[in-house]
Amino acid sequence: MTALAKLTTVELKLLAREPGSLFTVLIPLFILVIFGSSIEPGDTVLLPMALAIAVGLVGLYMLPTTLATYRERGILRRLSTTPLRPGNMLAVQLLLQLVLTVVTCGLLVAVGVNVLGARPPGAVWAVVVTIVLGTAAMFSIGLLIAALAANGRSANGIGVLLYFPMAFLAGLMQPVDQMPVLLARIGAYTPLGAFRQSLQDVWTGGAPSLPLLAVMTCYAVVLSVAAARFFRWE
């Protein structure tokens, strides 16, 4: 087994034991089951909302907290003296957080469609493209938080402070049609809002909205570049 494979195995075990991982799976699943028990069969709103919640939790909570904690504890600095290099740790963490996202989303879709009777997605390719871009946008925010936060606690706090206003503007706490028009328009151009709306559009079989896909792409590119610019290994 190569050193990189060993690192991946160790980090996977640590991720599985991390309470935050269970939190990011159970919270959206709990919301889906509790509210899904009262929805009409064929609902196209709740499942996209649960998926957006899950991706947001991984991107704004798990990813930045883990990376900032590793830097705070000097793990990234110590890796710089080994053949693995700190960049390998970053790549492994991104991969594992992506796996956590895929597993959570797969579980939500399976429960929502097969147990609660939610409508299955329309064009699968459109759903995949939307989830990929939405995940990239949320992960880019997490990377920027990790780059700027002084330690793991700060990253956790920043992620939480960003998550709840974003979730509100995205229509995850209150239906968009019950929000003031101005707030609804602002929310549509946030990464989480564009993601949630895109998911709902494609879940009904519609085509992805190009402006919303462009919004998520811009966030992913610009914030990733900023995170790379400001990221500190120690």
Side-chain angles (χ1 to χ4, degrees), residues 72-94:
E72 177 189 3
R73 294 177 178 175
I75 295 174
L76 298 181
R77 183 182 68 251
R78 290 196 292 271
L79 279 176
S80 64
T81 63
T82 72
L84 279 173
R85 313 300 296 176
N88 290 323
M89 173 65 80
L90 178 60
V92 167
Q93 277 299 321
L94 285 172

Side-chain angles (χ1 to χ4, degrees), residues 59-61 63-65 67-68 71 138-163 166 223 226-227 231-232:
L60 295 181
Y61 170 66
L63 180 61
T65 301
L67 292 178
R71 186 178 64 241
M138 300 311 300
F139 275 29
S140 69
I141 301 174
L143 288 172
L144 184 57
I145 294 172
L148 299 176
N151 50 53
R153 292 186 301 276
S154 297
N156 190 353
I158 295 171
V160 170
L161 286 176
L162 286 177
Y163 180 81
M166 244 192 255
L223 296 183
F231 196 85
R232 296 168 287 115

Side-chain angles (χ1 to χ4, degrees), residues 44 56 58 86 112 128 132 161 207 218:
T44 59
V58 176
V128 171
V132 167
L161 286 176
C218 287

Side-chain angles (χ1 to χ4, degrees), residues 192-214:
L192 197 55
F195 182 39
R196 195 275 312 162
Q197 185 60 56
S198 297
L199 277 177
Q200 188 171 334
D201 290 343
V202 300
W203 220 265
T204 61
S209 168
L210 293 181
L212 295 181
L213 295 182

Side-chain angles (χ1 to χ4, degrees), residues 163-182:
Y163 180 81
F164 285 103
M166 244 192 255
F168 174 76
L169 291 172
L172 299 179
M173 297 182 177
Q174 181 179 1
V176 175
D177 56 9
Q178 297 180 16
M179 294 170 58
V181 175
L182 178 60

